[in-house]
Amino acid sequence: MTCQKNITRGCCFSTDANGEPTAQNCPGAHKLEVFDWMADLPDPLAENAIYEVQFKNTRKGYYWNNTGISLKVGDIVAVEASPGHDIGIVTLTGELVTRQMKRTGFNPQGLECKKIYRKAKPYDIEKWQEAIGLEHQTMIRSRQIAADLHLNMKIGDVEYQGDKLKAIFYYIADERVDFRELIKVLADQFRVRVEMRQIGARQEAGRIGGIAPCGRELCCSTWMNSFSSVTIGAARHQEISLNPQKLAGQCGKLKCCLNYELDSYIDARRAFPRLNGPLEAMDGSYHLVKSDIFKKLMWFSPDPHSTAVMIPLTTERVRQIVAMNRRGEKVDKLEDAALLAAQHSAPAEPEIKNVVGEESITRFDHARSGGRKRGGQGRNRGNGNRDNRENNRDRGNNQRGDRTEKAEKSEKSGGGRPTARPEMAARAEADGRAEARPTARPELLAKANGEQGGAGNGGGNGGNNGGRGGNNYRNRSPRRRPGNRSQGGGTNNGGQGA
């Protein structure tokens, strides 16, 4: 079962299990929808037999349920029309209908109230759906016909009656239009009874709908049904910039919301003094440039076309200065002592402090320059480490040569290598146990007890290693000269070993 939503009527069309067309109400999709806040009352007032029925877009009507049909909000009903019948949706029931009729000015006793016939049958819904499908094409064709007849009018919307016997053509025009010929052509073209209904630009915007500059749906399509005239004086009373592009709505007229707070502004401006000219002081004349109506403050500037220097004054202070100027006196300074005292006694506003430092534009520049410096230091540190490694290698070769010389002297003197703990060796000799204690490093002892030429070979090898280390270092860092010194030392040591 597929559901097709129609936004102009606020309902969905579908088919039931038997294949017959049905329509369901879509809450929240109606224009000028009313929230029934009295629907949950435990003991409602007398049952109201008048129901509110909505048709296309913003057109509504009030109908009498004389047959006592059980109806609720959302029911699709067939109502009386002239001629034939029309199809609509029940949108409001109960006591709230009486309040709505009073609000809109509808008097059911002043004229004969039309009746509700029945709930819509599948045949009624099918014919109603066919009539809705003809509306857009009829509107386009009627605009072409009006242009061919050279009529200064705009047809904004077309609404077919539920039984397709009548069509209502809504149009806007700036002047009186003679559309008698147009009615004949339209009746002959579409084979329906034609009704021409003139509306204003605001009513047209309400029927079409849309989003206002404030971000909400248009007031004329949500809750407004009576429009009052809006003048440019409303903007002047509220100190609003007289910009036609900002003051005009989607209908091209002044925004309706300019009248919402106008009465409050008019009442507040009564406390302001009337100025016939600038305020006179000893240092010059001051002109009114700005007013805060609800704070009762007035700003004055020595230049009427500039707001660079503005002095705030209360309305009471302005009255005092005006009275002095009328007597021919001038004030020394255009200041308000009471206002200055109130400003000094008022608590200071909290300041925003840059604790983290994220608001600085150059915060990343310092980090980037520091990174370069750290990189340079790292490279220098790397060079220094290489130098230390080379010096340690040379120092190790020299220490091995010294240990070899000490071993040779010890062999010649007939003494062995000193033990790790000489006091234990002395105690063992006193007890008669002259056993050799193991040394801490036996590999050095074995090397010391070797042949006599071992020391010379070791010295020669040390010299050669030192020479190779010097040559390698000189190749890696040609700017420094310690490699020559290592090479010379190695050569001398090698000569002694030989």
Short mmCIF file of all heavy atoms in Angstrom, two decimals, residues 2-28:
data_model
loop_
_atom_site.label_atom_id
_atom_site.label_comp_id
_atom_site.label_asym_id
_atom_site.label_seq_id
_atom_site.Cartn_x
_atom_site.Cartn_y
_atom_site.Cartn_z
N THR A 2 0.76 2.04 -1.01
CA THR A 2 1.55 3.26 -1.15
C THR A 2 0.75 4.44 -0.63
O THR A 2 -0.46 4.54 -0.82
CB THR A 2 1.94 3.48 -2.61
OG1 THR A 2 0.76 3.61 -3.40
CG2 THR A 2 2.79 2.32 -3.12
N CYS A 3 1.47 5.38 0.01
CA CYS A 3 0.83 6.57 0.58
C CYS A 3 1.39 7.79 -0.13
O CYS A 3 2.61 7.96 -0.22
CB CYS A 3 1.10 6.66 2.08
SG CYS A 3 0.30 8.08 2.87
N GLN A 4 0.52 8.62 -0.65
CA GLN A 4 0.90 9.84 -1.37
C GLN A 4 0.44 11.03 -0.55
O GLN A 4 -0.74 11.24 -0.33
CB GLN A 4 0.26 9.86 -2.77
CG GLN A 4 0.66 11.07 -3.60
CD GLN A 4 -0.01 11.05 -4.96
OE1 GLN A 4 -0.78 10.14 -5.25
NE2 GLN A 4 0.29 12.05 -5.77
N LYS A 5 1.41 11.84 -0.11
CA LYS A 5 1.11 12.97 0.75
C LYS A 5 0.78 14.20 -0.08
O LYS A 5 1.45 14.50 -1.07
CB LYS A 5 2.30 13.26 1.67
CG LYS A 5 2.02 14.34 2.70
CD LYS A 5 3.20 14.49 3.65
CE LYS A 5 2.92 15.54 4.70
NZ LYS A 5 4.06 15.70 5.63
N ASN A 6 -0.25 14.92 0.33
CA ASN A 6 -0.64 16.17 -0.31
C ASN A 6 -0.50 17.29 0.71
O ASN A 6 -1.24 17.34 1.70
CB ASN A 6 -2.08 16.08 -0.82
CG ASN A 6 -2.46 17.28 -1.67
OD1 ASN A 6 -2.77 18.33 -1.14
ND2 ASN A 6 -2.43 17.12 -2.99
N ILE A 7 0.47 18.19 0.48
CA ILE A 7 0.77 19.22 1.47
C ILE A 7 -0.24 20.35 1.44
O ILE A 7 -0.34 21.12 2.40
CB ILE A 7 2.19 19.77 1.26
CG1 ILE A 7 2.34 20.37 -0.14
CG2 ILE A 7 3.22 18.69 1.50
CD1 ILE A 7 3.69 21.03 -0.38
N THR A 8 -0.98 20.51 0.35
CA THR A 8 -1.96 21.60 0.29
C THR A 8 -3.20 21.28 1.12
O THR A 8 -3.85 22.19 1.63
CB THR A 8 -2.35 21.87 -1.16
OG1 THR A 8 -2.94 20.69 -1.73
CG2 THR A 8 -1.14 22.28 -1.99
N ARG A 9 -3.53 20.01 1.25
CA ARG A 9 -4.68 19.61 2.06
C ARG A 9 -4.28 19.07 3.42
O ARG A 9 -5.11 19.01 4.32
CB ARG A 9 -5.47 18.52 1.33
CG ARG A 9 -6.67 19.03 0.55
CD ARG A 9 -6.28 19.77 -0.67
NE ARG A 9 -7.46 20.20 -1.43
CZ ARG A 9 -7.40 20.81 -2.60
NH1 ARG A 9 -6.22 21.05 -3.16
NH2 ARG A 9 -8.49 21.19 -3.23
N GLY A 10 -3.05 18.66 3.61
CA GLY A 10 -2.63 18.11 4.89
C GLY A 10 -3.10 16.70 5.12
O GLY A 10 -3.45 16.35 6.26
N CYS A 11 -3.13 15.87 4.07
CA CYS A 11 -3.58 14.49 4.21
C CYS A 11 -2.75 13.60 3.30
O CYS A 11 -1.99 14.08 2.45
CB CYS A 11 -5.06 14.36 3.89
SG CYS A 11 -5.46 14.76 2.17
N CYS A 12 -2.92 12.30 3.50
CA CYS A 12 -2.24 11.30 2.68
C CYS A 12 -3.29 10.43 2.00
O CYS A 12 -4.26 9.99 2.63
CB CYS A 12 -1.32 10.43 3.55
SG CYS A 12 0.06 11.30 4.29
N PHE A 13 -3.06 10.18 0.72
CA PHE A 13 -3.96 9.32 -0.06
C PHE A 13 -3.31 7.94 -0.21
O PHE A 13 -2.11 7.82 -0.48
CB PHE A 13 -4.22 9.92 -1.43
CG PHE A 13 -4.98 11.22 -1.39
CD1 PHE A 13 -4.33 12.43 -1.54
CD2 PHE A 13 -6.35 11.23 -1.19
CE1 PHE A 13 -5.02 13.63 -1.50
CE2 PHE A 13 -7.06 12.42 -1.15
CZ PHE A 13 -6.40 13.62 -1.30
N SER A 14 -4.13 6.92 -0.04
CA SER A 14 -3.66 5.54 -0.16
C SER A 14 -4.85 4.66 -0.54
O SER A 14 -5.97 5.14 -0.76
CB SER A 14 -3.01 5.07 1.15
OG SER A 14 -3.95 5.13 2.20
N THR A 15 -4.60 3.36 -0.63
CA THR A 15 -5.65 2.38 -0.94
C THR A 15 -5.70 1.35 0.16
O THR A 15 -4.67 0.98 0.75
CB THR A 15 -5.37 1.69 -2.29
OG1 THR A 15 -4.05 1.11 -2.26
CG2 THR A 15 -5.42 2.70 -3.43
N ASP A 16 -6.89 0.86 0.47
CA ASP A 16 -7.04 -0.13 1.53
C ASP A 16 -6.85 -1.54 0.99
O ASP A 16 -6.41 -1.73 -0.16
CB ASP A 16 -8.41 0.02 2.19
CG ASP A 16 -9.55 -0.11 1.18
OD1 ASP A 16 -9.27 -0.44 0.01
OD2 ASP A 16 -10.72 0.10 1.56
N ALA A 17 -7.17 -2.54 1.78
CA ALA A 17 -6.97 -3.94 1.38
C ALA A 17 -7.87 -4.33 0.21
O ALA A 17 -7.51 -5.21 -0.59
CB ALA A 17 -7.23 -4.87 2.58
N ASN A 18 -9.00 -3.67 0.07
CA ASN A 18 -9.92 -3.99 -1.03
C ASN A 18 -9.61 -3.20 -2.30
O ASN A 18 -10.33 -3.34 -3.29
CB ASN A 18 -11.36 -3.72 -0.60
CG ASN A 18 -11.78 -4.58 0.57
OD1 ASN A 18 -11.34 -5.73 0.69
ND2 ASN A 18 -12.64 -4.04 1.45
N GLY A 19 -8.58 -2.35 -2.24
CA GLY A 19 -8.22 -1.56 -3.41
C GLY A 19 -8.99 -0.27 -3.55
O GLY A 19 -8.87 0.42 -4.58
N GLU A 20 -9.77 0.12 -2.55
CA GLU A 20 -10.53 1.36 -2.61
C GLU A 20 -9.69 2.51 -2.06
O GLU A 20 -8.93 2.35 -1.10
CB GLU A 20 -11.83 1.22 -1.80
CG GLU A 20 -12.79 0.18 -2.37
CD GLU A 20 -14.05 0.09 -1.56
OE1 GLU A 20 -14.09 0.71 -0.48
OE2 GLU A 20 -14.98 -0.61 -2.00
N PRO A 21 -9.83 3.71 -2.65
CA PRO A 21 -9.02 4.85 -2.18
C PRO A 21 -9.48 5.34 -0.82
O PRO A 21 -10.68 5.38 -0.51
CB PRO A 21 -9.26 5.91 -3.27
CG PRO A 21 -10.57 5.55 -3.87
CD PRO A 21 -10.68 4.05 -3.81
N THR A 22 -8.51 5.70 0.02
CA THR A 22 -8.77 6.24 1.35
C THR A 22 -7.86 7.45 1.57
O THR A 22 -6.88 7.66 0.83
CB THR A 22 -8.50 5.20 2.45
OG1 THR A 22 -7.13 4.76 2.36
CG2 THR A 22 -9.43 4.01 2.32
N ALA A 23 -8.20 8.25 2.56
CA ALA A 23 -7.42 9.44 2.92
C ALA A 23 -7.28 9.50 4.42
O ALA A 23 -8.25 9.24 5.15
CB ALA A 23 -8.08 10.70 2.38
N GLN A 24 -6.09 9.81 4.90
CA GLN A 24 -5.81 9.93 6.32
C GLN A 24 -5.26 11.32 6.60
O GLN A 24 -4.50 11.89 5.81
CB GLN A 24 -4.80 8.87 6.80
CG GLN A 24 -5.30 7.44 6.75
CD GLN A 24 -5.13 6.82 5.38
OE1 GLN A 24 -4.30 7.27 4.60
NE2 GLN A 24 -5.92 5.78 5.09
N ASN A 25 -5.66 11.84 7.73
CA ASN A 25 -5.19 13.16 8.14
C ASN A 25 -3.72 13.10 8.58
O ASN A 25 -3.28 12.11 9.17
CB ASN A 25 -6.06 13.69 9.28
CG ASN A 25 -5.62 15.05 9.74
OD1 ASN A 25 -5.28 15.91 8.94
ND2 ASN A 25 -5.62 15.27 11.06
N CYS A 26 -2.96 14.16 8.28
CA CYS A 26 -1.55 14.27 8.67
C CYS A 26 -1.42 15.41 9.69
O CYS A 26 -1.41 16.59 9.30
CB CYS A 26 -0.66 14.53 7.47
SG CYS A 26 -0.59 13.18 6.29
N PRO A 27 -1.37 15.12 10.97
CA PRO A 27 -1.25 16.20 11.96
C PRO A 27 0.06 16.97 11.78
O PRO A 27 1.12 16.39 11.52
CB PRO A 27 -1.28 15.46 13.31
CG PRO A 27 -1.91 14.13 13.01
CD PRO A 27 -1.51 13.80 11.60
N GLY A 28 -0.03 18.28 11.91
CA GLY A 28 1.14 19.13 11.75
C GLY A 28 1.40 19.58 10.34
O GLY A 28 2.34 20.34 10.11
#
